[in-house]
Amino acid sequence: MPEAVLRLPPTPLKMTARPKVFVTRMIPECGLERIRAECDADVWPERLPPSRQELLLRVKGCDGLLTLLSDTIDAEVLNAAGPQLKVVSNYAVGYNNIDVAEAVRRDVKVGNTPGVLTEATADLAVALLLAAARCVVPSERSIRNGDWLTWEPLGFLGQELTGKTLGIVGLGRIGTTVARRLRGGWGMKILYAGRSRNLAAEQEAQAERVPFDELLAQSDVVSAHCALTDETKHMFDAAAFRKMKATAIFVNTARGPVHVQQDLYDALKRGDIFAAGLDVTDPEPLPADDPLLSLPNCVITPHIASATVTARDAMAEIAADNLLAGLAGKPLRHDVE
Ligand code: DGY
């Protein structure tokens, strides 16, 4: 019998725990696969978002969260997650769904995805503008309803844009890109209102900064591109719509609460303004029986401005980068603080 060899038990491998993260919805795979490779990732698989109760449960013990604009991330959620939480990476450029001050107070970093959805959002703003100006949706609907009976000299008369005035509220990245398209393509004169001056856009698009009321009075098209803040919430109310031209078109691809929806409905119904093109509403989702949907002069899309493959993939890459950087204690690629 061989002599018994005294063997020491193998030294256990020192395992470093993978960070625990909750991803509140399926996002493009290019972002998810990187998160899954480095984290213990719980990815919410449903089409609808997790309920508030589910969210509070799932965030417990997480080191990082990847959230959507439809998830409210406030003190309650941050508390539910716990003190180990390092980062909240929002899959959006807007971050009005996150209580950033609360996050900062807890030393939790907050990331967003600016830049990569600029072109897509500007394209949709122009698409909504053209659709609203030229009655695209009601005229198309009339064919489906069997109402195309003849060529009508007085049917579906819209507004032309060439040489008219565009008023941009919030001349940031997206507002400037819309201005560039409509200045270059339609020769529109550009006015803008907003908190700060944009000298580059003033030069490039010969944009002129004017007070908000003056912009309303002079513009043929008023397009909202501002972030939702206490200052911009409900800035388009009954008084604002009354100051606009009866031929004016209002476009909102920013956030629904920038306008007062009842006031917008009244203005459209009374003909205070010609039409509206909205990618955002208040509330979202908009119920199918909302009165706005009964108006032929209001075209609405379901918050799809960034919905191109290119933009959504790029947003996923940035959101993953932000999440992983925050977990590693490194500076985020795009930090909102
Ligand atoms: C954003 O990113 O804020 C848009 O509203 C959705 O992509």
mmCIF file with all atom_site columns, all heavy atoms in Angstrom, residues 160-165 182 186-189 220:
data_model
loop_
_atom_site.group_PDB
_atom_site.id
_atom_site.type_symbol
_atom_site.label_atom_id
_atom_site.label_alt_id
_atom_site.label_comp_id
_atom_site.label_asym_id
_atom_site.label_entity_id
_atom_site.label_seq_id
_atom_site.pdbx_PDB_ins_code
_atom_site.Cartn_x
_atom_site.Cartn_y
_atom_site.Cartn_z
_atom_site.occupancy
_atom_site.B_iso_or_equiv
_atom_site.pdbx_formal_charge
_atom_site.auth_seq_id
_atom_site.auth_comp_id
_atom_site.auth_asym_id
_atom_site.auth_atom_id
_atom_site.pdbx_PDB_model_num
ATOM 1  N N   . GLU A 1 160 ? -47.210 76.558 -45.976 1.00 0.00 ? 160 GLU A N   1
ATOM 2  C CA  . GLU A 1 160 ? -45.860 76.406 -46.543 1.00 0.00 ? 160 GLU A CA  1
ATOM 3  C C   . GLU A 1 160 ? -44.834 76.892 -45.529 1.00 0.00 ? 160 GLU A C   1
ATOM 4  O O   . GLU A 1 160 ? -45.142 77.727 -44.677 1.00 0.00 ? 160 GLU A O   1
ATOM 5  C CB  . GLU A 1 160 ? -45.755 77.193 -47.839 1.00 0.00 ? 160 GLU A CB  1
ATOM 6  C CG  . GLU A 1 160 ? -46.648 76.598 -48.903 1.00 0.00 ? 160 GLU A CG  1
ATOM 7  C CD  . GLU A 1 160 ? -46.243 76.936 -50.322 1.00 0.00 ? 160 GLU A CD  1
ATOM 8  O OE1 . GLU A 1 160 ? -45.130 77.440 -50.531 1.00 0.00 ? 160 GLU A OE1 1
ATOM 9  O OE2 . GLU A 1 160 ? -47.069 76.675 -51.216 1.00 0.00 ? 160 GLU A OE2 1
ATOM 10 N N   . LEU A 1 161 ? -43.631 76.382 -45.653 1.00 0.00 ? 161 LEU A N   1
ATOM 11 C CA  . LEU A 1 161 ? -42.591 76.721 -44.677 1.00 0.00 ? 161 LEU A CA  1
ATOM 12 C C   . LEU A 1 161 ? -41.487 77.592 -45.268 1.00 0.00 ? 161 LEU A C   1
ATOM 13 O O   . LEU A 1 161 ? -40.769 78.281 -44.530 1.00 0.00 ? 161 LEU A O   1
ATOM 14 C CB  . LEU A 1 161 ? -41.960 75.430 -44.133 1.00 0.00 ? 161 LEU A CB  1
ATOM 15 C CG  . LEU A 1 161 ? -42.933 74.466 -43.447 1.00 0.00 ? 161 LEU A CG  1
ATOM 16 C CD1 . LEU A 1 161 ? -42.228 73.178 -43.074 1.00 0.00 ? 161 LEU A CD1 1
ATOM 17 C CD2 . LEU A 1 161 ? -43.547 75.119 -42.213 1.00 0.00 ? 161 LEU A CD2 1
ATOM 18 N N   . THR A 1 162 ? -41.332 77.561 -46.573 1.00 0.00 ? 162 THR A N   1
ATOM 19 C CA  . THR A 1 162 ? -40.225 78.269 -47.204 1.00 0.00 ? 162 THR A CA  1
ATOM 20 C C   . THR A 1 162 ? -40.227 79.757 -46.855 1.00 0.00 ? 162 THR A C   1
ATOM 21 O O   . THR A 1 162 ? -41.243 80.437 -47.015 1.00 0.00 ? 162 THR A O   1
ATOM 22 C CB  . THR A 1 162 ? -40.283 78.082 -48.737 1.00 0.00 ? 162 THR A CB  1
ATOM 23 O OG1 . THR A 1 162 ? -40.288 76.684 -48.999 1.00 0.00 ? 162 THR A OG1 1
ATOM 24 C CG2 . THR A 1 162 ? -39.088 78.739 -49.424 1.00 0.00 ? 162 THR A CG2 1
ATOM 25 N N   . GLY A 1 163 ? -39.081 80.179 -46.334 1.00 0.00 ? 163 GLY A N   1
ATOM 26 C CA  . GLY A 1 163 ? -38.912 81.600 -46.021 1.00 0.00 ? 163 GLY A CA  1
ATOM 27 C C   . GLY A 1 163 ? -39.640 82.063 -44.767 1.00 0.00 ? 163 GLY A C   1
ATOM 28 O O   . GLY A 1 163 ? -39.582 83.239 -44.417 1.00 0.00 ? 163 GLY A O   1
ATOM 29 N N   . LYS A 1 164 ? -40.300 81.146 -44.074 1.00 0.00 ? 164 LYS A N   1
ATOM 30 C CA  . LYS A 1 164 ? -41.040 81.527 -42.863 1.00 0.00 ? 164 LYS A CA  1
ATOM 31 C C   . LYS A 1 164 ? -40.088 81.570 -41.648 1.00 0.00 ? 164 LYS A C   1
ATOM 32 O O   . LYS A 1 164 ? -38.898 81.305 -41.769 1.00 0.00 ? 164 LYS A O   1
ATOM 33 C CB  . LYS A 1 164 ? -42.167 80.520 -42.611 1.00 0.00 ? 164 LYS A CB  1
ATOM 34 C CG  . LYS A 1 164 ? -43.189 80.440 -43.752 1.00 0.00 ? 164 LYS A CG  1
ATOM 35 C CD  . LYS A 1 164 ? -44.268 81.490 -43.567 1.00 0.00 ? 164 LYS A CD  1
ATOM 36 C CE  . LYS A 1 164 ? -45.333 81.437 -44.646 1.00 0.00 ? 164 LYS A CE  1
ATOM 37 N NZ  . LYS A 1 164 ? -46.237 80.305 -44.545 1.00 0.00 ? 164 LYS A NZ  1
ATOM 38 N N   . THR A 1 165 ? -40.663 81.825 -40.493 1.00 0.00 ? 165 THR A N   1
ATOM 39 C CA  . THR A 1 165 ? -39.839 81.984 -39.282 1.00 0.00 ? 165 THR A CA  1
ATOM 40 C C   . THR A 1 165 ? -40.028 80.805 -38.339 1.00 0.00 ? 165 THR A C   1
ATOM 41 O O   . THR A 1 165 ? -41.159 80.429 -38.025 1.00 0.00 ? 165 THR A O   1
ATOM 42 C CB  . THR A 1 165 ? -40.222 83.303 -38.572 1.00 0.00 ? 165 THR A CB  1
ATOM 43 O OG1 . THR A 1 165 ? -39.942 84.373 -39.469 1.00 0.00 ? 165 THR A OG1 1
ATOM 44 C CG2 . THR A 1 165 ? -39.430 83.500 -37.294 1.00 0.00 ? 165 THR A CG2 1
ATOM 45 N N   . LEU A 1 182 ? -33.794 73.269 -41.146 1.00 0.00 ? 182 LEU A N   1
ATOM 46 C CA  . LEU A 1 182 ? -34.860 74.119 -41.684 1.00 0.00 ? 182 LEU A CA  1
ATOM 47 C C   . LEU A 1 182 ? -34.319 75.431 -42.261 1.00 0.00 ? 182 LEU A C   1
ATOM 48 O O   . LEU A 1 182 ? -34.928 76.019 -43.150 1.00 0.00 ? 182 LEU A O   1
ATOM 49 C CB  . LEU A 1 182 ? -35.918 74.373 -40.615 1.00 0.00 ? 182 LEU A CB  1
ATOM 50 C CG  . LEU A 1 182 ? -36.699 73.093 -40.259 1.00 0.00 ? 182 LEU A CG  1
ATOM 51 C CD1 . LEU A 1 182 ? -37.591 73.300 -39.041 1.00 0.00 ? 182 LEU A CD1 1
ATOM 52 C CD2 . LEU A 1 182 ? -37.538 72.609 -41.438 1.00 0.00 ? 182 LEU A CD2 1
ATOM 53 N N   . TRP A 1 186 ? -35.182 74.896 -46.041 1.00 0.00 ? 186 TRP A N   1
ATOM 54 C CA  . TRP A 1 186 ? -36.387 75.698 -46.323 1.00 0.00 ? 186 TRP A CA  1
ATOM 55 C C   . TRP A 1 186 ? -36.121 77.209 -46.236 1.00 0.00 ? 186 TRP A C   1
ATOM 56 O O   . TRP A 1 186 ? -37.033 77.997 -46.333 1.00 0.00 ? 186 TRP A O   1
ATOM 57 C CB  . TRP A 1 186 ? -37.506 75.330 -45.345 1.00 0.00 ? 186 TRP A CB  1
ATOM 58 C CG  . TRP A 1 186 ? -38.239 74.068 -45.715 1.00 0.00 ? 186 TRP A CG  1
ATOM 59 C CD1 . TRP A 1 186 ? -39.428 73.993 -46.381 1.00 0.00 ? 186 TRP A CD1 1
ATOM 60 C CD2 . TRP A 1 186 ? -37.854 72.723 -45.435 1.00 0.00 ? 186 TRP A CD2 1
ATOM 61 N NE1 . TRP A 1 186 ? -39.789 72.668 -46.542 1.00 0.00 ? 186 TRP A NE1 1
ATOM 62 C CE2 . TRP A 1 186 ? -38.849 71.870 -45.975 1.00 0.00 ? 186 TRP A CE2 1
ATOM 63 C CE3 . TRP A 1 186 ? -36.749 72.136 -44.790 1.00 0.00 ? 186 TRP A CE3 1
ATOM 64 C CZ2 . TRP A 1 186 ? -38.769 70.482 -45.888 1.00 0.00 ? 186 TRP A CZ2 1
ATOM 65 C CZ3 . TRP A 1 186 ? -36.668 70.761 -44.705 1.00 0.00 ? 186 TRP A CZ3 1
ATOM 66 C CH2 . TRP A 1 186 ? -37.676 69.948 -45.244 1.00 0.00 ? 186 TRP A CH2 1
ATOM 67 N N   . GLY A 1 187 ? -34.860 77.554 -45.983 1.00 0.00 ? 187 GLY A N   1
ATOM 68 C CA  . GLY A 1 187 ? -34.507 78.980 -45.899 1.00 0.00 ? 187 GLY A CA  1
ATOM 69 C C   . GLY A 1 187 ? -35.264 79.715 -44.808 1.00 0.00 ? 187 GLY A C   1
ATOM 70 O O   . GLY A 1 187 ? -35.602 80.903 -44.960 1.00 0.00 ? 187 GLY A O   1
ATOM 71 N N   . MET A 1 188 ? -35.540 79.028 -43.711 1.00 0.00 ? 188 MET A N   1
ATOM 72 C CA  . MET A 1 188 ? -36.313 79.683 -42.652 1.00 0.00 ? 188 MET A CA  1
ATOM 73 C C   . MET A 1 188 ? -35.432 80.630 -41.837 1.00 0.00 ? 188 MET A C   1
ATOM 74 O O   . MET A 1 188 ? -34.243 80.391 -41.650 1.00 0.00 ? 188 MET A O   1
ATOM 75 C CB  . MET A 1 188 ? -36.965 78.630 -41.727 1.00 0.00 ? 188 MET A CB  1
ATOM 76 C CG  . MET A 1 188 ? -38.047 77.829 -42.436 1.00 0.00 ? 188 MET A CG  1
ATOM 77 S SD  . MET A 1 188 ? -38.915 76.670 -41.360 1.00 0.00 ? 188 MET A SD  1
ATOM 78 C CE  . MET A 1 188 ? -40.133 77.739 -40.601 1.00 0.00 ? 188 MET A CE  1
ATOM 79 N N   . LYS A 1 189 ? -36.051 81.671 -41.358 1.00 0.00 ? 189 LYS A N   1
ATOM 80 C CA  . LYS A 1 189 ? -35.374 82.595 -40.437 1.00 0.00 ? 189 LYS A CA  1
ATOM 81 C C   . LYS A 1 189 ? -35.460 81.965 -39.049 1.00 0.00 ? 189 LYS A C   1
ATOM 82 O O   . LYS A 1 189 ? -36.528 81.453 -38.667 1.00 0.00 ? 189 LYS A O   1
ATOM 83 C CB  . LYS A 1 189 ? -36.106 83.937 -40.479 1.00 0.00 ? 189 LYS A CB  1
ATOM 84 C CG  . LYS A 1 189 ? -35.608 84.940 -39.487 1.00 0.00 ? 189 LYS A CG  1
ATOM 85 C CD  . LYS A 1 189 ? -36.419 86.212 -39.553 1.00 0.00 ? 189 LYS A CD  1
ATOM 86 C CE  . LYS A 1 189 ? -36.014 87.095 -38.384 1.00 0.00 ? 189 LYS A CE  1
ATOM 87 N NZ  . LYS A 1 189 ? -36.812 88.302 -38.296 1.00 0.00 ? 189 LYS A NZ  1
ATOM 88 N N   . ASP A 1 220 ? -43.686 81.313 -37.247 1.00 0.00 ? 220 ASP A N   1
ATOM 89 C CA  . ASP A 1 220 ? -44.690 80.520 -37.962 1.00 0.00 ? 220 ASP A CA  1
ATOM 90 C C   . ASP A 1 220 ? -44.667 79.083 -37.449 1.00 0.00 ? 220 ASP A C   1
ATOM 91 O O   . ASP A 1 220 ? -45.657 78.361 -37.572 1.00 0.00 ? 220 ASP A O   1
ATOM 92 C CB  . ASP A 1 220 ? -44.387 80.552 -39.457 1.00 0.00 ? 220 ASP A CB  1
ATOM 93 C CG  . ASP A 1 220 ? -44.449 81.977 -39.983 1.00 0.00 ? 220 ASP A CG  1
ATOM 94 O OD1 . ASP A 1 220 ? -45.563 82.527 -40.034 1.00 0.00 ? 220 ASP A OD1 1
ATOM 95 O OD2 . ASP A 1 220 ? -43.385 82.565 -40.276 1.00 0.00 ? 220 ASP A OD2 1
#
